[in-house]
Amino acid sequence: MRELVQRIEAATPHHRDRTVDALRALAILGVVLGHWLVTAMVVDSGSLHAASPLQRRPELAPVSWVFQTLAVFFLVGGQVAAKSYESSRARGVTYGRWLGARTARLFRPVAALLVVWTVTAGTMFVSGVGYGNLHALLKLVLSPLWFLLVFAGLTALTPLVARLHPLWPVVVVIHVDIIRLGLDGPARLGWVNVAAGWLVPYCLGAAWARGELRSRTTGWTLLIGGATATVLLVFFAGYPASMVGVPGAAISNLDPPTLAAVTFGLAQCGAALLLSGPLRRILVKPATWAAVALVNLSAMTVFLWHQTAMLAVTATGLLTGRTLPGLHTRPDGTQWIIARLLWLPVFAVALAACWAAFRTYEQRRQGRTTVVRQGQPSSDCETHRA
């Protein structure tokens, strides 16, 4: 382990901004833990369906404030994409080649997930598993892919949006919410916010790349302003307190994004900017940086397979012939929460097995060289020998 740490440290360029990798790693861990804590596959009369402890325990909404970290993904994505595109232009790389390289790195691991689950779903269907159960499983596994589609779309638009002021998409979100929620307009109009809402942190990331968000005043303004606006929207405008979707809720802050999700994202971006200084000092330590670098090397693998890992443990538990607390039971009490916390290490072991099996689809190796890319939900255009 000491040798690995030393090799990673020696292979890291001096100009690399380690803060970006650390923020991405924190965001990855937030998404994984958030899904594992607020999503359960409940066995009811022989059928499976998704449930959330937030349905019956609304006081747990603050959990979603900690683990819903998508705005940080888009902040980092915008920052790195803007830098990468400018660097490519300076080297004479065409837009098509730049975009092709980035999307290929993004979707190569997705192909492995789709192949595995196509075969799995087909086998289960032939074996007599009902459509309802299959739909519940596939929805849980594939629904996180919406993030990658939006991320890829914004990446493709980087030359157009890199200098767009974040207030413009905020204005779009405000108008969309007024029409669909305040004036009872068509619900489908909300899907405009899928692009506009996540464009806000993406544009902030591009501004960060230009050096426009360096002051702590900016970070505190985003944090306090975004948090205050979110509180006002929740208490006085009827927006849900949960920053993740809750089954059965009339309004979801994420499906599609609402103004509350956008203001909450602004607060997250402010917190990320404020953390950049302390993180930079912490990441000087080789062991800490090595841990962050290793997470980033497998960021896409972790993101894509964490739900599969949870389902694998859930399915294995069914083989016992018992309804296991925290795994198959309704998430409606304190006992479920305690039991679910005890299951987290088991989920982590299952995810480690998925990582061992599928990480090669994300980490292309040439001899003893591992390519680390920063700018996808993985890392940067530097070659690290590991």
Side-chain angles (χ1 to χ4, degrees):
M1 183 62 69
R2 186 181 301 109
E3 181 184 355
L4 176 62
V5 169
Q6 292 172 349
R7 281 155 52 190
I8 292 175
E9 180 68 21
T12 303
H14 295 295
H15 63 270
R16 186 181 185 87
D17 188 352
R18 302 182 181 193
T19 303
V20 173
D21 297 279
L23 290 174
R24 185 185 298 109
L26 290 173
I28 284 285
L29 295 177
V31 168
V32 171
L33 290 175
H35 280 158
W36 285 353
L37 287 171
V38 303
T39 306
M41 292 303 295
V42 176
V43 179
D44 188 7
S45 301
S47 64
L48 288 172
H49 64 87
S52 171
L54 298 175
Q55 288 176 276
R56 292 179 172 83
R57 302 290 297 273
E59 68 273 14
L60 296 177
V63 173
S64 68
W65 306 345
V66 176
F67 295 108
Q68 199 280 77
T69 53
L70 291 174
V72 178
F73 274 117
F74 286 101
L75 175 74
V76 171
Q79 194 258 19
V80 176
K83 278 191 171 182
S84 172
Y85 181 66
E86 288 301 321
S87 175
S88 296
R89 286 185 61 190
R91 299 194 311 271
V93 177
T94 64
Y95 166 77
R97 286 182 58 193
W98 172 80
L99 181 61
R102 297 187 76 78
T103 53
R105 295 196 302 268
L106 190 64
F107 287 108
R108 190 183 302 109
V110 176
L113 178 77
L114 294 178
V115 169
V116 168
W117 271 99
T118 297
V119 174
T120 301
T123 303
M124 294 174 69
F125 183 77
V126 171
S127 302
V129 176
Y131 172 78
N133 288 341
L134 275 179
H135 180 266
L137 294 174
L138 291 175
K139 183 179 180 180
L140 194 67
V141 171
L142 301 180
S143 58
L145 297 185
W146 71 264
F147 158 75
L148 298 180
L149 294 175
V150 177
F151 190 91
L154 294 182
T155 300
L157 293 174
T158 296
L160 297 177
V161 304
R163 295 191 176 273
L164 180 68
H165 197 286
L167 282 179
W168 287 110
V170 171
V171 170
V172 172
V173 173
I174 291 173
H175 282 78
V176 167
D177 273 16
I178 290 175
I179 294 172
R180 72 184 183 101
L181 300 178
L183 302 177
D184 199 24
R188 61 180 177 273
L189 184 63
W191 294 107
V192 173
N193 285 354
V194 173
W198 299 120
L199 189 56
V200 175
Y202 195 85
C203 289
L204 282 172
W208 187 15
R210 299 192 299 270
E212 297 179 8
L213 305 178
R214 300 295 182 182
S215 72
R216 292 184 63 81
T217 300
T218 301
W220 281 112
T221 300
L222 287 171
L223 175 59
I224 296 174
T228 301
T230 304
V231 170
L232 293 175
L233 289 169
V234 169
F235 280 97
F236 299 104
Y239 284 88
S242 172
M243 289 299 144
V244 299
V246 179
I251 301 175
S252 168
N253 276 322
L254 281 186
D255 190 22
T258 64
L259 179 59
V262 172
T263 57
F264 178 74
L266 290 175
Q268 280 190 320
C269 291
L273 293 173
L274 292 171
L275 279 173
S276 61
L279 285 174
R280 192 171 289 112
R281 291 189 291 271
I282 293 172
L283 293 171
V284 172
K285 300 178 180 179
T288 305
W289 164 240
V292 169
L294 290 174
V295 171
N296 276 271
L297 276 172
S298 303
M300 276 288 291
T301 303
V302 171
F303 176 78
L304 291 172
W305 292 95
H306 73 279
Q307 294 286 62
T308 299
M310 184 184 73
L311 289 177
V313 175
T314 303
T316 303
L318 291 174
L319 298 178
T320 64
R322 301 168 53 197
T323 301
L324 300 178
L327 200 60
H328 310 125
T329 54
R330 292 183 180 276
D332 55 4
T334 304
Q335 290 184 342
W336 184 91
I337 297 172
I338 295 173
R340 175 49 64 106
L341 291 174
L342 296 176
W343 281 109
L344 294 184
V346 185
F347 295 161
V349 171
L351 180 56
C354 292
W355 170 83
F358 299 104
R359 65 189 175 89
T360 54
Y361 293 96
E362 180 177 4
Q363 301 173 15
R364 293 191 300 172
R365 295 181 183 275
Q366 300 174 355
R368 291 173 56 84
T369 300
T370 299
V371 178
V372 181
R373 313 246 182 215
Q374 180 175 344
Q376 305 302 335
S378 94
S379 10
D380 196 2
C381 324
E382 302 289 350
T383 301
H384 286 201
R385 299 197 176 273

